[in-house]
Amino acid sequence: MTAIIIFIGLIIGLNCIPLLTKTNFPKTEKIIVRLLFATTIIFLTTFLFALNSYRLKGQYTLTTISWVFMGLTIIYFVIFKNTRRKILMVFLLTPLLILCVFTLLFGQVLKEFKINDNSKIIVTTGGLLSCGELIYITQTEFRIFDKEVHYESSLCLRGIEKIETVKIDDSHAEFLIYHNGEMDSENPYRYDVERKNGW
């Protein structure tokens, strides 16, 4: 509850900054509005794709989009004078800003390990209730997406440094996961996956 009150106070405080200045920057405002609109569309699109198991390629792609969106939103709050339009935009952008912070804290890509030319393993930070890092096995789709074909959240491994492919055949795959050993004493951890969905 305290975090929510602090966050709301921060949003209100940022929106009160334009009351302290009397200068207007109409050209800058126009550019920021256009950039914010474009970034909002890109952020929402990538987030909706991620919900449907499609991640944009690149370890820092979603993180970069999220930081740009968050930065432009804060600049919008700070520079623009308070009008009805801005108040409406604040109510629309604040939930997206919360979602952006959530994506930066949870689900951030930590490392990627190549399995073959078409598949790789992605390690991300866990959520609030996860005991370790999350593991996704993905395949390249449409050249710009990594399509999730397998998801694992129950291993309780942290500090994953390296994942080696031991063997892979038509029915299953075996990996060695090197981690910091805090949550599980088996290091490297032997991880067997049954191959489904044609990956």
Side-chain angles (χ1 to χ4, degrees):
M1 186 66 180
T2 307
I4 294 170
I5 293 169
I6 291 170
F7 185 78
I8 290 170
L10 183 64
I11 296 295
I12 292 169
L14 288 172
N15 284 292
C16 287
I17 290 174
L19 298 174
L20 303 174
T21 61
K22 295 186 177 181
T23 54
N24 282 330
F25 308 101
K27 289 182 181 179
T28 308
E29 289 178 4
K30 205 178 274 188
I31 292 168
I32 289 171
V33 167
R34 288 178 182 165
L35 287 172
L36 183 60
F37 180 75
T39 310
T40 304
I41 297 296
I42 292 168
F43 174 73
L44 280 175
T45 305
T46 54
F47 184 76
L48 290 174
F49 273 113
L51 282 179
N52 290 301
S53 303
Y54 286 92
R55 295 171 177 264
L56 279 173
K57 277 186 163 296
Q59 187 172 347
Y60 302 108
T61 307
L62 185 58
T63 305
T64 304
I65 292 169
S66 299
W67 277 110
V68 170
F69 170 74
M70 195 162 60
L72 285 171
T73 303
I74 291 170
I75 289 169
Y76 178 80
F77 289 168
V78 170
I79 289 181
F80 279 57
K81 294 289 184 184
N82 294 334
T83 61
R84 287 183 183 177
R85 179 184 169 190
K86 182 186 174 184
I87 292 169
L88 178 65
M89 289 294 288
V90 167
F91 280 111
L92 292 173
L93 289 173
T94 301
L96 292 177
L97 192 61
I98 293 168
L99 186 64
C100 181
V101 171
F102 184 80
T103 58
L104 287 170
L105 293 176
F106 310 109
Q108 185 177 10
V109 176
L110 299 174
K111 293 193 177 172
E112 295 181 352
F113 305 96
K114 189 175 179 179
I115 298 173
N116 54 37
D117 290 338
N118 195 38
S119 304
K120 65 181 170 184
I121 298 174
I122 296 174
V123 178
T124 69
T125 54
L128 288 170
L129 301 177
S130 74
C131 64
E133 294 166 357
L134 308 180
I135 294 173
Y136 298 87
I137 297 176
T138 65
Q139 281 186 323
T140 301
E141 294 260 339
F142 310 116
R143 294 188 180 183
I144 61 167
F145 290 108
D146 288 324
K147 169 80 167 105
E148 176 192 319
V149 293
H150 180 76
Y151 165 74
E152 185 61 62
S153 62
S154 62
L155 295 183
C156 289
L157 302 177
R158 290 185 185 163
I160 295 174
E161 300 161 6
K162 186 169 71 166
I163 299 178
E164 288 179 357
T165 305
V166 177
K167 67 176 182 178
I168 187 164
D169 56 35
D170 293 337
S171 59
H172 94 282
E174 188 177 326
F175 304 100
L176 289 177
I177 303 174
Y178 295 86
H179 56 96
N180 64 8
E182 280 181 20
M183 304 295 286
D184 196 307
S185 59
E186 185 185 345
N187 197 4
Y189 182 86
R190 190 170 292 276
Y191 179 52
D192 288 314
V193 184
E194 188 179 339
R195 294 190 71 190
K196 297 178 181 177
N197 305 326
W199 71 272

